[in-house]
Amino acid sequence: MPQQKDIVRIAIQMPGTVAQLIQLDQKKPLSAVIKEVCDGWNLPGPDNYALQYSEGAQMYITESNRLDIKNGWILRLTKAPGRRAEDLFKGIQSSDGGVRCDSLKELASVSRDVTFAQEFISRDGHVLLVKIVEDSKENNQIMTYTLTGFMELMDHGIVSWENLSAVFIKKIASFVNKSTDEAMQQVSLDILENMVLSSRKLFLQVKQEVTMERLIAHLQVANQQIQTKAMALLMALLQTAEDSDRKEMFAFLNKKNLRSYIYKNIILSSSPVQDEMAHYLYVLQSVTLNHLEARMRTPLDCYSQEHREILHGLRQAAFETESENSLSHERRRSLCAKEFKKLGFSNNSNPGQDLVRTPPGLLALDTMFYFANRNPDAYSRFVLENSSREDKHECPFARSSIQLTLILCEILRIGEPPSETGSNYHPIFFSQDRLLDELFCVCIQLLNKTWKEMRATQEDFDKVMQVVKEQITRTLSSKPTSLELFKNKVNALNYSEILKLRQTERLHQEETLAPPVLELKERLKPELLELIRQQRLNRLCQGTMFRKISSRRRQDKLWYCRLSPNHKMLHYGDVEEDAENPAIETLQEKIPVADIKGLLTGKDCPHMKENKGKQTKEVLDLAFSITYDVEEYSLNFIAPSRTDFCLWTDGLSVLLGRDMSSESMRSELEILLSMEIKLRLLDLENVPIPESAPIIPKPPSNYNFCYDFSQTEQ
């Protein structure tokens, strides 16, 4: 007798029949279950049938996934994957164009199922699709279905991309270069992206066949999907290329004003930038700015004639001096040392030593030289204004420039590889050809302004730099779309405003609390912590969309996870890009909360250990995992944001009976404590508090008593 836990009560449908209600014995072979269902409808040949989910992805039920079936689910009796693969294989080769079209349309849909894909590929169905593409005799609609089915089949990783012929690659490239059919262009761009990411050989073939002009042209179209696919292929080409190829491609793209195209057609577009496009814009920004890494990692060579000439050029541009050729060696050396000191170099006898530190290395010399040449008046004013001061409040230009360059490198993440999930791009990047240099020109003048506002001395140098970094970071976080807008915003954010913001963000914490207040605070904590715990669990019940990490392909790689209302199960499963809060019944996988053994974060997570050294700090800060079943298995997460990371790690800690420890929890607790204490300490003596809310009075019959400020006073 089967045990009760092995029995699942389900309904099975088939078009044109009355549904069968059965008790599915999970211990019984699936073939036997299907035979019983077929017998119930008097259907011969049970081997020709299979069970399939009737909703959602409609995947085939197999021995490996049958345990996911839950009580009350509705399944469908349909063609077995082998029979369906055989029928479609024949239909695709039919002489009837309508049959071919219908067969390929169905193939494009069912190929998402790995069970079907294995059957179809075993019949060399993918080879047949390649031949259809190579012959190019079909119309655009049939060709789109063919390409979509091919892409879905290849996405399972059963067949290697490297087996594709040069003729096939040329055909796909021609659809990108010449076709006017948008649907066919989208899937062709998708196929080429996967080719490029698969091997160096395919990268070279695609690079040879696809014209960069055409990819840039695709960025100017109104169709956001084509824009995104074109950007994805462009980023794949840039990331896969070796240094020499990448420099060549960047030179071409700069010549064609790629950033200008993106700025006009995407950044300034009335349509919001989608998440996937935001990722590719972030990657382009990161890859481009990382070209500065070599200069950032290279120290100044004190014996280099070129470097010495630039240093002396900075000195000569700041000070009008008599002809140095007529001076003796000692006199000239003394004059140079004096002027380098006024410029703000710490080692005035050998200023090159200040630029030996890396980072920022030669990048600091580049930014100073750019500022002196681009804004000579502002440069001279900065240096002369501070070098002539005798009140110990002078701002050292060189020292400030070196530190400012380092800060800008940190903010722009120069030298960090792009994250696979990052999307934090700066719109201003696409409006400027030399973003770092232009930002430096604005920010070095801001630094001088802030220095004066703070009435700083040399002892306050680090404090000033912290304020300047905060000014820049806050302004860039507002996503200014032009340098002028950035300049206006960052200058409006003066030292006084920074102090106000800091004071506001301290959450009104009182520096000193009387003992009774401290006692009240401790008494309130358990109640408020329980409130936060419930909020965390409610948030887990709502669920969150997570993105899978993949080096090959980012499309359709989303999954959703949520906690059951009774807090006993974690449900999760793959979802489509446009899915919003999928029902818990549609999530195919689950983990009992009672089986969860541990919570890991950051570099301790299994998926971070597997890619040790390849993950950025940004990804490490968002990574967490749960271990279950005696810690043999793990479910790995990359949170969409730091807020989601805090919510999930806190919620999972609550489920495990542990204390919450996130910075978000601490911040919220302080806010709630502050509000509650202020309410408790209100002076309500002799103030009657009604038991019910007062009645809202009726609105007045007219509003003639209101003063009309729009009228000009006579």
Side-chain angles (χ1 to χ4, degrees), residues 258-521:
L258 171 64
R259 278 194 270 185
S260 177
Y261 282 118
I262 293 174
Y263 186 69
K264 293 175 182 176
N265 295 287
I266 299 177
I267 304 296
L268 299 182
S269 170
S270 57
S271 303
V273 176
Q274 300 299 315
D275 289 345
E276 194 175 340
M277 176 59 82
H279 169 75
Y280 294 127
L281 295 178
Y282 155 80
V283 172
L284 177 60
Q285 171 188 290
S286 179
V287 172
T288 305
L289 289 175
N290 279 347
H291 276 265
L292 300 171
E293 183 180 7
R295 299 288 287 179
M296 183 182 75
R297 305 287 183 196
T298 305
L300 183 138
D301 183 358
C302 297
Y303 298 99
S304 167
Q305 182 66 25
E306 178 189 357
H307 296 169
R308 288 204 304 269
E309 287 178 357
I310 294 175
L311 283 171
H312 283 287
L314 288 171
R315 178 182 62 82
Q316 292 165 354
F319 306 105
E320 293 182 6
T321 58
E322 56 186 301
S323 176
E324 297 177 6
N325 294 330
S326 60
L327 301 176
S328 65
H329 177 72
E330 288 300 323
R331 170 67 179 148
R332 184 174 181 277
R333 185 175 179 180
S334 175
L335 177 65
C336 290
K338 182 180 178 181
E339 291 180 345
F340 277 126
K341 183 177 181 179
K342 289 182 178 181
L343 263 178
F345 284 97
S346 301
N347 192 330
N348 55 298
S349 60
N350 187 4
Q353 289 295 325
D354 288 24
L355 294 160
V356 170
R357 182 179 58 144
T358 60
L362 288 177
L363 211 50
L365 184 63
D366 296 339
T367 53
M368 286 190 282
F369 186 72
Y370 184 85
F371 177 55
N373 283 274
R374 180 70 179 243
N375 301 280
D377 293 338
Y379 171 67
S380 297
R381 187 165 55 251
F382 186 116
V383 175
L384 296 176
E385 176 185 296
N386 286 285
S387 63
S388 60
R389 299 187 68 162
E390 298 180 356
D391 55 1
K392 297 184 180 180
H393 289 285
E394 67 277 4
C395 177
F397 172 76
R399 184 186 177 192
S400 300
S401 297
I402 294 168
Q403 190 62 26
L404 176 60
T405 303
L406 181 61
I407 287 173
L408 289 173
C409 288
E410 291 174 356
I411 293 174
L412 297 176
R413 297 181 178 276
I414 295 174
E416 291 187 23
S419 162
E420 293 182 350
T421 58
S423 59
N424 185 26
Y425 69 95
H426 300 296
I428 192 175
F429 165 79
F430 299 94
S431 69
Q432 296 294 322
D433 288 333
R434 304 186 63 164
L435 178 63
L436 178 69
D437 292 328
E438 292 293 347
L439 283 180
F440 178 86
C441 291
V442 173
C443 295
I444 191 65
Q445 296 176 77
L446 168 74
L447 191 153
N448 190 37
K449 172 174 166 286
T450 303
W451 185 282
K452 288 186 284 188
E453 290 170 353
M454 296 176 66
R455 294 191 56 78
T457 63
Q458 293 291 331
E459 288 75 17
D460 301 315
F461 182 82
D462 291 338
K463 183 180 178 182
V464 175
M465 298 311 299
Q466 288 175 2
V467 173
V468 171
K469 183 176 183 178
E470 189 173 342
Q471 289 171 313
I472 299 169
T473 304
R474 287 181 182 272
T475 304
L476 284 177
S477 67
S478 69
K479 302 287 185 183
T481 54
S482 67
L483 186 68
E484 190 62 30
L485 191 57
F486 171 81
K487 183 177 179 180
N488 293 337
K489 285 188 174 185
V490 79
N491 280 293
L493 195 61
N494 54 37
Y495 181 54
S496 176
E497 288 297 317
I498 290 291
L499 290 179
K500 289 178 183 177
L501 289 169
R502 286 179 174 178
Q503 186 175 7
T504 302
E505 291 171 357
R506 284 176 188 141
L507 307 174
H508 309 290
Q509 291 180 345
E510 299 182 24
E511 294 182 1
T512 57
L513 292 174
V517 177
L518 288 172
E519 182 180 346
L520 175 61
K521 187 175 181 181

Side-chain angles (χ1 to χ4, degrees), residues 496-639:
S496 176
E497 288 297 317
I498 290 291
L499 290 179
K500 289 178 183 177
L501 289 169
R502 286 179 174 178
Q503 186 175 7
T504 302
E505 291 171 357
R506 284 176 188 141
L507 307 174
H508 309 290
Q509 291 180 345
E510 299 182 24
E511 294 182 1
T512 57
L513 292 174
V517 177
L518 288 172
E519 182 180 346
L520 175 61
K521 187 175 181 181
E522 291 302 315
R523 287 174 57 187
L524 291 172
K525 266 187 181 180
E527 178 184 348
L528 297 178
L529 279 171
E530 182 58 28
L531 189 65
I532 296 174
R533 289 190 195 99
Q534 291 303 317
Q535 186 271 339
R536 294 298 195 263
L537 293 176
N538 290 339
R539 184 65 184 81
L540 264 62
C541 289
Q542 293 175 17
T544 302
M545 186 90 73
F546 296 91
R547 189 175 294 279
K548 290 185 178 180
I549 297 295
S550 172
S551 60
R552 291 182 53 208
R553 191 165 178 255
R554 303 180 74 253
Q555 297 81 5
D556 304 324
K557 294 296 182 182
L558 297 172
W559 64 291
Y560 203 86
C561 187
R562 65 191 303 175
L563 179 66
S564 63
N566 62 6
H567 303 167
K568 292 185 178 180
M569 290 284 179
L570 268 183
H571 295 264
Y572 64 98
D574 293 346
V575 293
E576 297 295 332
E577 181 81 33
D578 55 353
E580 291 186 7
N581 299 329
I584 203 166
E585 296 80 13
T586 64
L587 301 176
Q588 307 299 325
E589 307 288 339
K590 71 175 183 180
I591 297 175
V593 171
D595 289 350
I596 299 177
K597 304 302 179 184
L599 172 64
L600 305 173
T601 61
K603 61 184 179 180
D604 295 326
C605 298
H607 56 318
M608 295 296 103
K609 290 180 178 179
E610 292 172 4
N611 297 286
K612 191 174 182 181
K614 297 181 180 179
Q615 301 294 359
T616 61
K617 186 178 184 298
E618 179 184 358
V619 173
L620 286 172
D621 288 343
L622 299 175
F624 64 97
S625 303
I626 56 174
T627 56
Y628 58 97
D629 283 353
V630 200
E631 302 187 5
E632 291 184 2
Y633 303 99
S634 66
L635 184 62
N636 303 316
F637 301 75
I638 299 290

Side-chain angles (χ1 to χ4, degrees), residues 153-212:
L153 291 171
M154 295 299 292
D155 201 34
H156 295 295
I158 301 170
V159 180
S160 172
W161 287 91
E162 295 191 50
N163 296 330
L164 298 173
S165 68
V167 175
F168 178 82
I169 297 172
K170 286 178 182 290
K171 286 292 182 182
I172 300 294
S174 71
F175 298 151
V176 171
N177 292 331
K178 301 174 183 178
S179 175
T180 57
D181 185 275
E182 291 186 344
M184 197 157 69
Q185 285 179 345
Q186 285 183 39
V187 68
S188 297
L189 286 164
D190 205 2
I191 291 172
L192 290 175
E193 180 201 355
N194 281 272
M195 287 182 187
V196 169
L197 295 173
S198 295
S199 72
R200 171 72 179 169
K201 173 187 171 185
L202 290 176
F203 159 78
L204 294 172
Q205 288 180 273
V206 174
K207 179 176 176 288
Q208 183 178 354
E209 297 297 334
V210 179
T211 62
M212 303 297 278

Side-chain angles (χ1 to χ4, degrees), residues 7 55 71 85 104 142 187 204 254 264 299 348 372 418 466 495 602 606 641 665 679 681 707:
I7 300 298
E55 297 177 355
N71 279 317
L104 286 165
I142 291 180
V187 68
L204 294 172
N254 288 333
K264 293 175 182 176
N348 55 298
Q466 288 175 2
Y495 181 54
S641 66
M665 181 278 297
L679 287 171
L681 296 180
Y707 181 81

